[in-house]
């Protein structure tokens, strides 16, 4: 479920930055996530976790592969179960690894 992968042509990647609220302890966070049904509701069925990273001092960074028709459902579940525990930031993203490899080859061949 993790690593660099290219989503299917129909799907998009979205990166979610879930920042911890500074005033909450880990026990507070876990209790609120459990009460909101986070672990049952997220990620949304039909989406795929590409990566899920904990960044110390920041929070969690989740990249999902999402069919466009489920984007609203992802947002709804964040509103239902993450708000109050995390502040959320959402970014459309793409896998840069193949692009980087093409650039390296182009530079080696004398291009820019």
């Amino acid at each position: 479920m993790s690593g660099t992968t290219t989503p299917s042509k129909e799907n998009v990647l979205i990166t979610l930055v879930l920042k911890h609220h500074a005033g909450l302890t880990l026990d507070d966070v876990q209790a609120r996530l459990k009460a909101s049904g986070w672990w049952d509701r997220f990620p949304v069925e039909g989406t795929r976790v590409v990566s899920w990273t904990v960044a110390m001092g920041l929070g969690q960074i989740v990249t999902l592969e999402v069919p466009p028709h489920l984007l609203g459902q992802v947002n709804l579940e964040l509103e239902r179960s993450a708000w109050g525990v995390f502040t959320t930031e959402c970014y459309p993203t793409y896998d840069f690894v193949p692009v980087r490899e093409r650039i390296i080859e182009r530079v080696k061949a004398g291009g820019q």
Side-chain angles (χ1 to χ4, degrees), residues 16 18 38 42 74-83 90:
L16 311 167
L18 309 174
W38 171 257
F42 193 85
V74 170
N75 182 60
L76 184 61
E77 291 308 331
L78 287 170
E79 291 175 355
R80 284 182 176 157
S81 54
W83 286 11
C90 302

Side-chain angles (χ1 to χ4, degrees), residues 37-87:
W38 171 257
W39 300 112
D40 295 324
R41 300 170 85 138
F42 193 85
V44 172
E45 187 172 335
T47 66
R48 185 177 71 85
V49 173
V50 175
S51 65
W52 196 316
T53 305
V54 172
M56 293 179 358
L58 177 67
Q60 300 178 27
I61 303 167
V62 182
T63 300
L64 297 176
E65 180 181 353
V66 181
H69 73 278
L70 290 179
L71 191 56
Q73 188 66 32
V74 170
N75 182 60
L76 184 61
E77 291 308 331
L78 287 170
E79 291 175 355
R80 284 182 176 157
S81 54
W83 286 11
V85 179
F86 303 108
T87 57

